Amino acid sequence: MDNRQLTEGFHRLTRDERLRRIQQLCDLSEEDIQVLSGKIPVPIEIADHLIENVVGYFPIPFGVATNFTIDGRDLLIPMAVEETSIIAAASASAKWIRREGNIRTYSKGSLIIGQIQLPQVKNVKNARKLLHENRDLLMGLANACIPGLVRRGGGIRDIAMREIARPTGDGEMLVIHVLCDPCDAMGANLINQICEALKPRIEELTDEKVGLCILSNLVDTKLVAAEVILRDIDPKLGSGIQEATLFAKADPYRAATHNKGVLNGIDPILIATGNDWRAVEAGAHAYAARTGRYQPLTEWHMEGADLVGRIEIPIAVGTCGGVTKIHPMARVAIKMLKASRAEDLARICAAVGLVQNLGALKALATVGIVKGHMQLHAANLAIAAGAEIHEIAQVRDRLTQVLKDEKTINLSRAKEVLEAIRVAAQRTSIH
């Protein structure tokens, strides 16, 4: 069987069957499968070295989105997430695109940003002049701090300066941007160390006091983009999705939820691969507000009979170092994605974010967001109502029928359904 046949009907397989299919598709070892299945648990000692005051783990379901073909490659997308319907919606939208269109991605830049702040500069013109004259010296000092990265082909590429008026009205800040290519690392610790190392020399050169030394999560020097084209779609549906984009452009209240839908696709991949999803979220929202008005991260419009969607977003991730190296699940997730380079991972994230957004807009433009979400939420309600493992599927199926008939389900209704099932089971056992 080819890759597409192996993922056909994936959601109907047992968990063990899914694991074996994944093993075939992603060339995973038996140990990888043991890690994914939880049979080889993550040692608590690893957690003890990751954060402070460790008392245990908070497990999050780890699943895979299917049907993705990105830049001509068939991929399974590992996602660690607790929210109902995210994986189902991503898989369904990817299948639609695979059948009717395509997904392309590309990168725009590879540099992360470190900031060195001179908070209240006495003589901005003189400071800028001295820093410009000593630019090569500062870059050399910075690269001397990271010889391993330089050997791998990375390192400091430029030093730039920005003048910012102080909000208090008493002068100007001068902010130095240290621009670094981190190769396949996320690079946060590297760039922070570099900025701290440059602080004394900058103070010596300029006779100005340095304030903060810290990376920026608004990496607009490291953008990734994805584009989806769906051909010959229903004009009414295409118009509805286009109109949803216009709403998000016009209203920041809608844009916030629009962008949350994008990050529904991106964050679970970042968590699964051990990357800093909070940093990417911060950068994405800052980028969405870069014009002074908060805007949607995606744009959808009709071109003739085709629906075209596009996203451009700053994503700084790593495929080596940090948690991605020491967490067993993160290592397996990166292996599943066949993402040997950080750029590959970032482009996949952008593509999945765009596809996730499409799924949400399609639902909003047709049946509404509630129907599909609540159908998948039925299992959560069954568990919340107190269903045992062997009862969950039965309660879920009954609640799905209730939703179809009554248009709504809730915890009280789930408890009623569970009680009815138990009464019926008790009667059957007596007879």
Side-chain angles (χ1 to χ4, degrees), residues 95-102 229-233:
K95 190 172 186 177
W96 180 28
I97 296 166
R98 176 186 275 177
R99 189 176 62 245
E100 308 289 348
N102 58 57
I229 298 176
L230 279 160
R231 297 180 184 84
D232 296 319
I233 75 161

Side-chain angles (χ1 to χ4, degrees), residues 279-386:
V280 173
E281 283 238 1
H285 291 303
Y287 191 68
R290 68 192 182 281
T291 63
R293 180 179 179 82
Y294 189 82
Q295 291 283 291
L297 289 164
T298 68
E299 197 253 338
W300 295 90
H301 64 276
M302 292 295 293
E303 291 185 5
D306 300 340
L307 177 68
V308 178
R310 192 173 184 278
I311 185 171
E312 184 178 271
I313 185 171
I315 298 183
V317 291
T319 53
C320 66
V323 178
T324 61
K325 185 174 182 179
I326 64 176
H327 198 294
M329 292 287 280
R331 289 203 306 269
V332 174
I334 289 171
K335 190 173 179 181
M336 289 170 64
L337 286 166
K338 302 170 184 172
S340 57
R341 302 183 306 158
E343 179 187 333
D344 296 334
L345 177 57
R347 287 165 64 166
I348 290 167
C349 286
V352 176
L354 183 61
V355 171
Q356 192 79 44
N357 176 239
L358 173 63
L361 297 185
K362 181 185 178 186
L364 286 167
T366 53
V367 298
I369 207 74
V370 173
K371 182 180 177 183
H373 186 80
M374 290 306 292
Q375 282 178 338
L376 292 165
H377 188 54
N380 291 353
L381 286 174
I383 295 167

Side-chain angles (χ1 to χ4, degrees), residues 129-151:
K129 176 177 177 292
L130 290 167
L131 289 168
H132 179 72
E133 289 172 350
N134 288 277
R135 173 179 169 276
D136 290 342
L137 169 68
L138 293 172
M139 288 178 61
L141 289 171
N143 279 323
C145 299
I146 47 170
L149 180 62
V150 172
R151 281 195 300 272

Side-chain angles (χ1 to χ4, degrees), residues 83-95:
E83 184 174 332
T84 301
S85 81
I86 285 177
I87 290 177
S91 300
S93 298
K95 190 172 186 177

Side-chain angles (χ1 to χ4, degrees), residues 99-282:
R99 189 176 62 245
E100 308 289 348
N102 58 57
I103 306 170
R104 297 184 301 172
T105 69
Y106 54 95
S107 301
K108 296 174 66 177
S110 61
L111 306 180
I112 58 174
I113 300 170
Q115 292 189 297
I116 302 171
Q117 176 217 25
L118 282 62
Q120 198 158 18
V121 185
K122 300 186 292 288
N123 188 330
V124 173
K125 184 177 179 181
N126 185 57
R128 287 187 71 111
K129 176 177 177 292
L130 290 167
L131 289 168
H132 179 72
E133 289 172 350
N134 288 277
R135 173 179 169 276
D136 290 342
L137 169 68
L138 293 172
M139 288 178 61
L141 289 171
N143 279 323
C145 299
I146 47 170
L149 180 62
V150 172
R151 281 195 300 272
R152 294 195 300 275
I156 306 306
R157 297 289 185 254
D158 201 1
I159 290 178
M161 285 169 276
R162 297 169 56 233
E163 294 175 34
I164 304 173
R166 290 177 60 80
T168 48
D170 55 343
E172 286 186 298
M173 302 178 192
L174 187 62
V175 181
I176 302 162
H177 277 200
V178 181
L179 301 167
C180 175
D181 182 348
C183 293
D184 292 316
M186 190 267 188
N189 290 332
L190 286 171
I191 197 68
N192 288 340
Q193 291 172 37
I194 290 165
C195 291
E196 288 284 356
L198 291 177
K199 175 180 176 178
R201 183 54 64 93
I202 288 171
E203 289 184 332
E204 180 186 321
L205 286 170
T206 63
D207 194 31
E208 301 281 359
K209 183 170 178 55
V210 169
L212 302 186
C213 296
I214 184 70
L215 86 162
S216 173
N217 290 128
L218 177 54
V219 282
D220 54 4
T221 46
K222 194 179 177 71
L223 298 171
V224 286
E227 183 180 77
V228 163
I229 298 176
L230 279 160
R231 297 180 184 84
D232 296 319
I233 75 161
D234 174 7
K236 185 177 179 182
L237 173 59
S239 176
I241 291 171
Q242 179 174 274
E243 187 61 34
T245 298
L246 293 175
F247 182 12
K249 284 183 175 181
D251 182 12
Y253 287 86
R254 171 60 202 141
T257 311
H258 180 106
N259 289 343
K260 191 266 183 182
V262 173
L263 291 160
N264 274 349
I266 294 173
D267 286 351
I269 304 173
L270 299 176
I271 295 169
T273 57
N275 273 283
D276 189 346
W277 58 272
R278 300 161 304 279
V280 173
E281 283 238 1

